[in-house]
Amino acid sequence: KLEDRAARVAAVTMRLRNQRQGVAQVLAPFQLSMVDLERLRNLMRQEMEKGLSKVTNNQASVRMLPTFVCHLPDGSEEGDFLALDLGGTNFRVLLVQVKRQQEGGIHMINEIYNIPTEITQSTAAELFDHIVKCIVEFQTKYNMLGSILPLGFTFSFPCKQISLDKGILLRWTKGFSASGTVGEDVVNLLREAIKRQKNIDVDVVALVNDTVGTMMACAYADPKCEVGLIVGTGSNACYMEEMRNVETVEGDEGRMCINMEWGAFGDDGVIDHYITSFDNRVDKESLNAGQQRYEKLISGMYLGEIVRYILLELVSHKAVFKGKDSSVLQTKNIIPTKFLTQIEDLYNIRDILEDIGLKISLEDAEVVKEVCHAVTSRAAKLCAAGIAAVVEKIRENKHMTKLEVTVGVDGTLYKMHPFFSKKLHETVALLAPNCNVKFLLSEDGSGKGAALIAAVACHTKAPQ
């Protein structure tokens, strides 16, 4: 009996060892060294320079789009403003009351409206008519019909801005595909939809990317905030660049916020070294195959799918769920990204996977936890390499040996994941040792930030 027991223990030990080796082998491409990350930081910096140059901008994967936001808030802005926030599954309308900072700051009321999938994938007219219908509902509810307020429009998709209130949609992302919009001025599409309603009038003064709104909202609280970062459904960054370096816009004086549109970093193949076979499968199955390659390694819309493909690979090697029905993993998007934020407790993992029809042991739960950690940790490190490139650029622009700078951040992955932010901060500190980088969580950058950009625009236009 003792011999039988010893044999069983030996067999289990061998099986666990083989399982561990199989998992480690599959996850090996997700383990990035400092050399890998420094190389990525330098590649991002090269693409930034390429995007800022008038000669190479058209070939750059990081487009470095001018936003025509040239001033950060100074606390003296005041007035009532509307803000619209379109950038994901929900659309918001906000009334933002801005008072001078010493008189109480900012008060907001907002309503959330759903955009059905059939609208996001319909036509320009249907999409913008739906948006305006929501504005009418909001103004009716708060007895605002008839009042003309300045409006900041947060539109979180890649746009080439021609001026503060004019932007050409370059492409849809995040599952949107409304026809008749790409190549069009989205502010004009909004204004045309407003005209079709007849019973409202709105003064659209600024088109805002959510990343820029995040930076502005945080700069209102911290004057050292010169960078905006989104890590949620998608990922993007912006920062204040010296006008002398922005060759795509006339003028050398002052600064301008640059919307990097860094999600497309690597669309030209420069980061193929970092892209695994699992990433390629996710990309191939996405609505925009071959585009937004960097974003697809980092952002919440894709991490659950990367985990699913890794688990399928481990199942094929019999390294996990051995003997259990795992066919549910063949279902696209069966693992939501919020699952990755709930993986610290093994019993919790088991309960969540049972909810989607996958019965697993605690031993399997440990493997799933390791897979989720590897995918999220890589995402945080890759994101950190981008931020390190940005803050180093700012430091060099200012000719400083040591820079103190704040990054305003928004996005559910950053806010909700138990260790993503910590890993991001630690990696930025390693990759940008000459920069003391503080991260400030945005309080509604896409709403408050949009209103502040409208407020700053009205303030700077008004006679002093």
Side-chain angles (χ1 to χ4, degrees):
K1 287 182 181 179
L2 285 174
E3 287 175 358
D4 290 346
R5 186 179 175 189
R8 286 198 301 273
V9 169
V12 169
T13 303
M14 179 63 72
R15 179 168 59 80
L16 287 173
R17 185 180 297 127
N18 290 340
Q19 181 186 52
R20 303 307 306 157
Q21 287 175 347
V23 172
Q25 189 175 355
V26 169
L27 294 181
F30 292 84
Q31 312 304 320
L32 300 174
S33 68
M34 276 299 291
V35 171
D36 287 326
L37 294 171
E38 286 167 352
R39 178 184 170 198
L40 188 70
R41 176 200 62 199
N42 296 342
L43 284 169
M44 177 67 85
R45 178 60 185 274
Q46 288 169 24
E47 286 297 303
M48 288 169 69
E49 300 290 356
K50 199 171 167 183
L52 289 170
S53 166
K54 193 172 184 177
V55 176
T56 55
N57 173 266
N58 285 339
Q59 292 89 48
S61 62
V62 180
R63 295 300 301 276
M64 304 298 283
L65 304 172
T67 65
F68 299 88
V69 172
C70 298
H71 303 278
L72 295 170
D74 62 13
S76 66
E77 297 78 20
E78 58 185 337
D80 290 353
F81 302 87
L82 279 175
L84 308 184
D85 175 17
L86 176 65
T89 51
N90 293 319
F91 165 67
R92 292 189 307 151
V93 183
L94 306 94
L95 172 64
V96 185
Q97 298 169 315
V98 181
K99 295 182 179 178
R100 290 174 179 266
Q101 233 167 12
Q102 63 268 32
E103 295 171 6
I106 294 174
H107 175 69
M108 296 188 294
I109 54 175
N110 77 96
E111 296 288 336
I112 298 172
Y113 302 93
N114 179 251
I115 305 184
T117 302
E118 60 267 25
I119 297 290
T120 67
Q121 298 176 7
S122 61
T123 65
E126 288 178 86
L127 175 60
F128 283 90
D129 282 348
H130 180 80
I131 290 167
V132 173
K133 180 185 163 198
C134 296
I135 299 172
V136 172
E137 283 184 29
F138 181 87
Q139 291 198 327
T140 302
K141 181 172 181 177
Y142 294 101
N143 299 313
M144 294 168 58
L145 283 174
S147 58
I148 304 174
L149 295 181
L151 180 143
F153 181 21
T154 298
F155 186 78
S156 307
F157 301 93
C159 278
K160 181 179 180 181
Q161 285 200 229
I162 310 302
S163 62
L164 187 59
D165 65 346
K166 184 174 183 180
I168 309 301
L169 178 64
L170 297 175
R171 64 180 174 275
W172 284 117
T173 57
K174 294 179 278 193
F176 278 66
S177 60
S179 62
T181 44
V182 174
E184 298 294 326
D185 173 16
V186 294
V187 173
N188 189 54
L189 291 173
L190 176 61
R191 286 174 176 155
E192 290 296 319
I194 289 167
K195 282 181 193 172
R196 287 194 292 273
Q197 273 289 336
K198 293 188 173 64
N199 59 338
I200 68 162
D201 198 359
V202 174
D203 180 21
V204 187
V205 298
L207 180 67
V208 182
N209 181 274
D210 60 345
T211 319
V212 183
T214 293
M215 181 191 72
M216 292 292 278
C218 291
Y220 186 77
D222 182 349
K224 288 184 179 174
C225 182
E226 298 182 50
V227 183
L229 171 66
I230 300 287
V231 197
T233 305
S235 182
N236 191 19
C238 70
Y239 73 102
M240 295 301 290
E241 178 60 90
E242 301 297 321
M243 279 294 292
R244 66 176 183 270
N245 296 329
V246 187
E247 295 182 8
T248 53
V249 175
E250 295 294 322
D252 291 333
E253 295 300 315
R255 300 192 301 167
M256 182 182 287
C257 180
I258 296 296
N259 167 19
M260 294 175 68
E261 287 299 337
W262 81 1
F265 177 41
D267 287 3
D268 57 358
V270 297
I271 66 169
D272 283 0
H273 170 73
Y274 304 87
I275 292 175
T276 69
S277 60
F278 308 107
D279 301 311
N280 280 328
R281 290 176 76 179
V282 171
D283 175 61
K284 187 179 177 184
E285 293 295 318
S286 69
L287 285 172
N288 54 347
Q291 297 178 356
Q292 302 295 105
R293 298 311 305 268
Y294 185 58
E295 179 176 74
K296 286 171 181 170
L297 307 179
I298 293 172
S299 70
M301 188 167 186
Y302 305 100
L303 299 190
E305 277 294 273
I306 297 171
V307 167
R308 182 173 74 87
Y309 279 121
I310 293 171
L311 292 177
L312 283 171
E313 180 75 8
L314 291 173
V315 167
S316 74
H317 289 298
K318 295 185 169 54
V320 71
F321 312 148
K322 192 174 179 184
K324 300 183 182 74
D325 179 18
S326 55
S327 58
V328 69
L329 288 174
Q330 299 291 344
T331 308
K332 190 175 179 181
N333 295 320
I334 194 69
I335 299 177
T337 295
K338 70 176 182 180
F339 168 69
L340 275 71
T341 70
Q342 302 168 339
I343 47 94
E344 291 308 300
D345 181 89
L346 294 182
Y347 290 96
N348 198 27
I349 292 173
R350 199 165 65 170
D351 290 345
I352 295 167
L353 288 179
E354 280 189 4
D355 285 344
I356 65 170
L358 198 58
K359 293 190 180 299
I360 66 169
S361 65
L362 285 180
E363 191 181 293
D364 291 329
E366 186 69 57
V367 174
V368 174
K369 180 178 177 179
E370 188 175 346
V371 170
C372 291
H373 268 263
V375 171
T376 311
S377 179
R378 181 190 67 157
K381 289 177 179 179
L382 293 174
C383 184
I387 287 296
V390 171
V391 295
E392 273 296 306
K393 178 82 165 70
I394 294 172
R395 184 184 68 81
E396 290 177 24
N397 284 347
K398 295 185 175 186
H399 307 291
M400 299 175 76
T401 52
K402 191 78 177 178
L403 172 72
E404 288 199 8
V405 66
T406 298
V407 177
V409 198
D410 204 354
T412 49
L413 185 60
Y414 182 91
K415 287 193 286 192
M416 303 301 292
H417 197 278
F419 72 78
F420 183 95
S421 59
K422 184 172 184 286
K423 181 66 70 177
L424 173 69
H425 302 168
E426 289 172 352
T427 311
V428 169
L430 290 171
L431 292 172
N434 296 317
C435 301
N436 181 14
V437 184
K438 175 184 168 186
F439 290 82
L440 179 61
L441 197 57
S442 169
E443 293 181 31
D444 195 5
S446 51
K448 183 196 290 185
L452 280 167
I453 290 170
V456 170
C458 293
H459 186 61
T460 52
K461 273 196 284 187
Q464 301 296 313

